[in-house]
Amino acid sequence: MKKTFLILSILFFLLGCILVYQNINYDDKKLHVVICDVGQGDAIFIRTPGGSDILIDGGPDDSVLACLGRHMPFWDKTLEVMILTHPHTDHLTGLIDVAKRYAVLVFGTEKIVNPSSAYKELIKQLEQNHTQQKFLYQDDQFIIKDGISLKTLWPTQEWVDQNSAGGNSNENGLSIIELLSYKNFEALFTGDAQASDIEKIESMLGVIDFLKVPHHGSKSALTEEVLDILNPKIAAISVGDKNKYGHPTAFILNLLKDKNIKTLRTDQVGDIEIISDGKVWKIK
Amino acid sequence: MDGQEISFETAILSQPQTVGSQQTLTANYQNQSFDGLRIKIITSRFPELNYGDFVRISGEISNSNRGLLMYFPKIETINNSSSILQSGLRSINILRQKLISIFSKTLPSPSSSLLLGIIFGIKEQMPKDFNNNLRTSGVFHVIAASGMNVTLVGGFISTFFAFFLRRQIAVGLSILGIIFYAILAGLEPSIIRASIMGILVFSAQIMGRQTLAINGLALAGVGMLFIDPTLFSDVGFQLSFAATFGILYIKPLFKTKNGIVSEILTTVAAQIATLPILLTNFGLYSIYSVLVNGLVLWAVPILMMIGGIGAILSLILAPLGKLLIYLCYPLLLYFETIVNISGKLGGILIIKNFPWQLVAGYYCLLVSALLIFKRKS
């Protein structure tokens, strides 16, 4: 019995320490943007200054769970917003694992019919959890009280109606593009969009701080013109080590290098975390 | 057999495992011309299959050096809930899914998965990277339900009910508890072996007889092979029996009273007995595995106890259950850190194509050495 009390007292002590430590670390009233290292795929986790959690895409498998485990306090099992930029498995599958373990308040995606068993499983999970589901179009915005806004820049409703009659398309061109703003800090999340898609929304874009390079750095992801408009200070490529597609391409890497944009890759550094107070930002 | 198209109906009797984007299960193919074949089936992760499901599998068989395989066959679920066995399995499976959901909604991953593995041997939620780290650092066995789980379940139930019931009835209930637990844990060979041995020990108490563990082990082995001879080629079966054999026969050769030393010796004894099986099936051995085992194994019974009580309470009194699960979190973090560090350190010996002659030779030498020691004592 004495031993049981000792063990329990040690465990309570340690749990207390973890609570304090994680509170200081994760609830620091700053914006955290994490490009999760999920191999060949995309998963971006955002923790807002007020402690709301946003996930854009879930990667090809359950690695995203470990990323959430690393960047969320252990008692927080709610994602306020979850977005699927387009239903390819390297963006989708991990969301199923997330939906099984976390309460998701709002789920947003593009209007596409996708008959794959993984997509059906995701929708089934979300329905079981009574998650509110929305189709996202240009100008839709999530506004959070702590000063964060997440705005959909692409696609427009007209474009979806024209290009995916019946909502069925397998083109990367139909990938959602999101702009995150917090005071002076702006970050652009591009899913698997092509440079040509970004050009279509040129008028809405200006200089940004952070760019998630589209489509794992494939050849048609960026052009010089697009980079001139965005002129990001830092760019991140979410890509798997030795992937079979040859991502990221030398063309994109050179383009970023020529523009002197600091570029980080998940296959080289693991999770990439940017922390900002709305004025300045730093890489953790 | 290679390239042959087959189609058969079978009940899924142990829980399919999910790793990454794939799901693997083992099916028994019964046919007039043969006694039954054990086929490993690899399929996509969705739709998810559960034990208790009755399925029709159609596809092409391929031969591999680890036995018969079917890649992505067509799998249809057949509804046949009239069978009592099946509806029984299905209702236990509902409880199992409920427990998985409670744990994974309380703790972050991989802590929740690790705890589920330690308490119930539930592995289908294990993240791929962590799964690999457990394997390479030689502590994968902690997430297989086995002897320690059965001892705790049986012991807990019989002590609890002995307060207000006759001893024999309490022991009887603990036997039922062990059977229930084995099904809940997914009926893998290791848990079946441990349950048979556990039930023998507990029933011997009712009859007032002593049992020899080795007799129990032999009986469990013969019984299981009698029902399903194809089990002999199952890695889990081989590992479970060899490890138990090692703990029963090799460990007593080293006499110690020190608790920590004794635990390390258990690991060493189990490893001596299982090494060739590990090498032939996984082709790797971590030089740190004894160290890693020594560092983490002490935490396993504590986690089993607190987490197990937490699991039961979470079904009745959710907040208190959750608190106990949270209390496991510091130990789980410690466990994960050690396993992940060891995974990063590497120190892995990779051996490709370990020939069967060496395996057989190794066991001959081992048995010979054990007999010599036996003779001396």
Side-chain angles (χ1 to χ4, degrees):
Chain A
M1 212 56 190
K2 256 188 187 167
K3 208 175 151 193
T4 314
F5 282 126
L6 178 68
I7 291 172
L8 284 176
S9 107
I10 294 173
L11 289 181
F12 272 108
F13 173 78
L14 292 174
L15 189 62
C17 293
I18 294 172
L19 278 164
V20 173
Y21 172 80
Q22 293 205 344
N23 178 264
I24 293 169
N25 226 353
Y26 297 118
D27 290 335
D28 58 357
K29 306 279 178 268
K30 286 184 180 143
L31 168 70
H32 296 245
V33 174
V34 183
I35 311 297
C36 292
D37 176 20
V38 290
Q40 182 67 14
D42 261 22
I44 298 141
F45 170 69
I46 300 160
R47 186 160 174 91
T48 72
S52 294
D53 304 288
I54 301 169
L55 182 66
I56 303 177
D57 289 340
D61 53 29
D62 53 16
S63 341
V64 63
L65 293 175
C67 181
L68 295 182
R70 287 191 291 268
H71 298 284
M72 272 170 94
F74 75 88
W75 60 85
D76 187 350
K77 300 293 276 186
T78 305
L79 288 173
E80 275 68 14
V81 179
M82 184 164 105
I83 291 173
L84 172 65
T85 60
H86 65 294
H88 282 178
T89 51
D90 59 332
H91 296 246
L92 187 160
T93 311
L95 293 183
I96 300 168
D97 296 290
V98 171
K100 279 185 179 173
R101 292 171 178 79
Y102 290 80
V104 180
L105 302 188
V106 186
F107 171 71
T109 189
E110 58 184 2
K111 192 174 183 188
I112 262 195
V113 177
N114 185 297
S116 75
S117 55
Y119 189 77
K120 279 186 202 146
E121 181 71 26
L122 174 64
I123 298 302
K124 191 181 110 194
Q125 282 298 328
L126 293 171
E127 277 168 3
Q128 272 176 16
N129 300 340
H130 309 291
T131 298
Q132 191 193 341
Q133 297 185 41
K134 287 172 76 77
F135 291 122
L136 299 178
Y137 300 106
Q138 194 173 68
D139 291 332
D140 283 345
Q141 239 183 121
F142 292 102
I143 295 171
I144 298 168
K145 279 185 205 133
D146 51 18
I148 294 286
S149 85
L150 187 65
K151 189 175 179 182
T152 304
L153 300 186
W154 182 256
T156 60
Q157 186 151 11
E158 298 78 55
W159 202 89
V160 173
D161 292 344
Q162 282 166 20
N163 288 277
S164 70
N168 203 341
S169 170
N170 253 334
E171 296 298 313
N172 280 328
L174 211 59
S175 180
I176 288 177
I177 300 176
E178 294 282 328
L179 181 72
L180 174 81
S181 324
Y182 178 47
K183 296 176 187 166
N184 293 327
F185 177 85
E186 286 196 319
L188 190 67
F189 305 109
T190 51
D192 276 2
Q194 308 288 310
S196 54
D197 300 319
I198 302 177
E199 281 164 3
K200 289 184 198 127
I201 47 168
E202 243 180 56
S203 58
M204 305 176 82
L205 291 168
V207 174
I208 57 170
D209 300 277
F210 172 84
L211 170 70
K212 203 277 318 179
V213 174
H215 202 199
H216 325 289
S218 83
K219 199 165 181 247
S220 51
L222 289 172
T223 56
E224 203 175 340
E225 295 76 54
V226 167
L227 277 184
D228 281 338
I229 300 166
L230 299 173
N231 196 19
K233 293 174 194 76
I234 177 164
I237 305 178
S238 184
V239 70
D241 194 20
K242 300 188 189 84
N243 64 79
K244 60 183 172 189
Y245 309 99
H247 294 159
T249 54
F251 171 74
I252 296 291
L253 292 176
N254 287 333
L255 206 59
L256 290 160
K257 202 172 158 195
D258 292 345
K259 298 273 167 204
N260 275 326
I261 299 165
K262 186 175 173 62
T263 306
L264 295 170
R265 295 165 53 173
T266 55
D267 61 334
Q268 291 173 346
V269 298
D271 292 349
I272 299 162
E273 183 174 5
I274 312 285
I275 303 174
S276 172
D277 60 1
K279 294 181 212 104
V280 292
W281 55 267
K282 61 170 186 192
I283 305 165
K284 194 177 180 182
Chain B
M1 271 322 278
D2 206 20
Q4 193 180 325
E5 288 277 342
I6 56 165
S7 177
F8 62 103
E9 284 179 12
T10 182
I12 300 178
L13 290 176
S14 63
Q15 183 61 36
Q17 304 298 329
T18 332
V19 175
S21 58
Q22 292 179 340
Q23 196 175 186
T24 59
L25 58 142
T26 343
N28 276 336
Y29 171 44
Q30 304 286 347
N31 183 308
Q32 282 89 352
S33 52
F34 2 11
D35 303 331
L37 290 170
R38 201 173 178 74
I39 304 174
K40 190 174 171 190
I41 290 161
I42 297 175
T43 178
S44 63
R45 234 190 99 180
F46 303 104
E48 282 177 342
L49 299 164
N50 280 305
Y51 67 3
D53 285 349
F54 209 71
V55 288
R56 164 163 283 281
I57 301 173
S58 330
E60 192 181 305
I61 287 196
S62 56
N63 265 328
S64 83
N65 51 356
R66 289 185 199 163
L68 296 173
L69 276 176
M70 280 174 96
Y71 278 108
F72 297 87
K74 192 174 158 218
I75 301 178
E76 300 156 89
T77 314
I78 306 162
N79 275 326
N80 180 5
S81 48
S82 56
S83 138
I84 298 171
L85 172 73
Q86 228 190 311
S87 49
L89 280 179
R90 201 166 284 158
S91 34
I92 294 185
N93 188 46
I94 291 172
L95 175 63
R96 180 188 167 96
Q97 297 304 330
K98 170 108 188 149
L99 288 168
I100 292 178
S101 152
I102 290 171
F103 277 68
S104 50
K105 283 185 173 162
T106 307
L107 291 174
S109 176
S111 310
S112 55
S113 320
L114 178 60
L115 192 56
L116 279 169
I118 288 175
I119 305 173
F120 301 107
I122 292 175
K123 289 191 269 293
E124 64 256 35
Q125 301 276 317
M126 200 60 71
K128 194 180 64 190
D129 291 348
F130 189 64
N131 197 62
N132 285 340
N133 284 347
L134 283 175
R135 227 186 251 293
T136 50
S137 46
V139 287
F140 196 75
H141 61 93
V142 302
I143 59 164
S146 66
M148 197 192 281
N149 305 66
V150 167
T151 315
L152 281 178
V153 170
F156 183 79
I157 296 176
S158 66
T159 326
F160 181 75
F161 285 107
F163 278 116
F164 39 85
L165 289 174
R166 272 178 50 211
R167 207 181 128 64
Q168 276 89 340
I169 299 174
V171 171
L173 285 175
S174 65
I175 291 174
L176 288 179
I178 290 173
I179 296 173
F180 182 79
Y181 174 82
I183 302 174
L184 188 68
L187 288 178
E188 282 178 82
S190 65
I191 185 66
I192 297 180
R193 192 242 347 122
S195 304
I196 295 175
M197 292 178 69
I199 289 169
L200 287 174
V201 171
F202 279 98
S203 32
Q205 286 183 11
I206 298 184
M207 297 182 286
R209 278 168 178 264
Q210 284 280 322
T211 43
L212 273 177
I214 192 70
N215 294 353
L217 182 69
L219 188 68
V222 172
M224 285 168 76
L225 287 177
F226 183 72
I227 292 169
D228 181 5
T230 58
L231 262 182
F232 194 70
S233 57
D234 184 283
V235 188
F237 178 87
Q238 295 169 0
L239 284 176
S240 178
F241 276 83
T244 317
F245 179 83
I247 294 168
L248 291 176
Y249 270 102
I250 302 173
K251 196 191 165 197
L253 300 179
F254 312 94
K255 290 184 179 65
T256 176
K257 286 207 174 87
N258 185 322
I260 299 166
V261 178
S262 164
E263 249 180 64
I264 292 173
L265 284 177
T266 308
T267 307
V268 173
Q271 286 203 352
I272 291 175
T274 53
L275 191 61
I277 303 173
L278 288 172
L279 289 180
T280 31
N281 288 292
F282 307 114
L284 48 86
Y285 176 77
S286 162
I287 53 168
Y288 301 116
S289 74
V290 173
L291 178 69
V292 175
N293 272 287
L295 285 172
V296 301
L297 281 189
W298 62 268
V300 172
I302 302 176
L303 287 170
M304 258 181 213
M305 206 94 80
I306 299 178
I309 298 173
I312 299 168
L313 281 180
S314 66
L315 297 170
I316 318 162
L317 205 67
L320 194 57
K322 267 197 156 184
L323 174 67
L324 286 181
I325 297 173
Y326 279 141
L327 271 186
C328 296
Y329 187 57
L331 278 183
L332 291 166
L333 272 186
Y334 163 80
F335 197 123
E336 288 159 28
T337 312
I338 304 267
V339 167
N340 287 333
I341 290 175
S342 141
K344 274 204 193 99
L345 279 180
I348 296 161
L349 304 175
I350 295 177
I351 290 142
K352 279 183 188 150
N353 299 328
F354 197 67
W356 71 266
Q357 292 88 344
L358 285 189
V359 178
Y362 179 96
Y363 280 114
C364 287
L365 295 180
L366 185 64
V367 169
S368 148
L370 286 175
L371 289 172
I372 289 280
F373 277 113
K374 193 92 190 155
R375 186 171 156 267
K376 277 189 186 154
S377 63

